[in-house]
Amino acid sequence: MTLLNESVREAARRSVLCWLATVDAEGQPNVSPKEVWTIADDLHVVVAHIASPISARNIAQHPQVCLSFVDVFVQKGFKLIGTAREVRATDAEFTDWAAPLLAMVGQRFTIQSVLVIQVQSVSAIVAPSYRFYPDDTTEASQVASGMRAYNVQAVEKEKP
């Protein structure tokens, strides 16, 4: 079974940010939002180190990480547990790991290194409404609720 299957990949595509949790040498947790990231293959997620010195330092000390992402409207996502390592721009494998991230950022950001996460487990994240009110909660109702909460208006797509 592929850990990073199509449902995980689709949820990742719909998520604007992910959150990377690391821990330092003293056991102090750090959670940091990451804007430039993607699922690289069936076992790996890559995260651009653009301005992440604490995350990179913590990974060097303790490679265990948790990465999570949620579609804020549907209120579903995934939590990925794994081990991470930093691949620097001077490393031979940098170009391969960084390629999808560089395609995302173009010239907008400089990617200092890539945080490569080998995923060991995947678990679903769902809003409590799905569990406590399963008869009344649908993705459509959650989207409508989120749009009201964030004061977002749907945009009509132009017909060709």
Side-chain angles (χ1 to χ4, degrees), residues 20-23 43-47 55-67 80-87 114-120:
L20 181 63
T22 61
V23 64
L43 290 174
H44 297 92
V45 173
V46 289
V47 178
S55 296
R57 182 196 67 210
N58 287 353
I59 287 168
Q61 297 169 345
H62 295 286
Q64 296 80 13
V65 299
C66 176
L67 182 138
L80 314 177
I81 301 290
T83 55
R85 63 190 176 91
E86 182 178 19
V87 177
V114 176
L115 307 175
V116 178
I117 302 165
Q118 183 171 340
V119 177
Q120 297 163 338

Side-chain angles (χ1 to χ4, degrees), residues 119-134:
V119 177
Q120 297 163 338
S121 70
V122 175
S123 56
I125 297 172
V126 296
S129 296
Y130 286 105
R131 293 190 179 151
F132 291 114
Y133 304 101

Side-chain angles (χ1 to χ4, degrees), residues 45-125:
V45 173
V46 289
V47 178
H49 170 359
I50 295 168
S52 305
I54 295 171
S55 296
R57 182 196 67 210
N58 287 353
I59 287 168
Q61 297 169 345
H62 295 286
Q64 296 80 13
V65 299
C66 176
L67 182 138
S68 62
F69 51 91
V70 174
D71 177 320
V72 295
F73 289 105
V74 175
Q75 298 178 35
K76 289 182 178 179
F78 289 93
K79 176 176 84 169
L80 314 177
I81 301 290
T83 55
R85 63 190 176 91
E86 182 178 19
V87 177
R88 292 179 175 83
T90 56
D91 295 337
E93 61 187 317
F94 177 82
T95 302
D96 291 335
W97 288 118
L101 303 172
L102 291 166
M104 293 168 72
V105 300
Q107 300 300 314
R108 186 169 181 203
F109 297 113
T110 298
I111 297 176
Q112 298 181 38
S113 64
V114 176
L115 307 175
V116 178
I117 302 165
Q118 183 171 340
V119 177
Q120 297 163 338
S121 70
V122 175
S123 56
I125 297 172

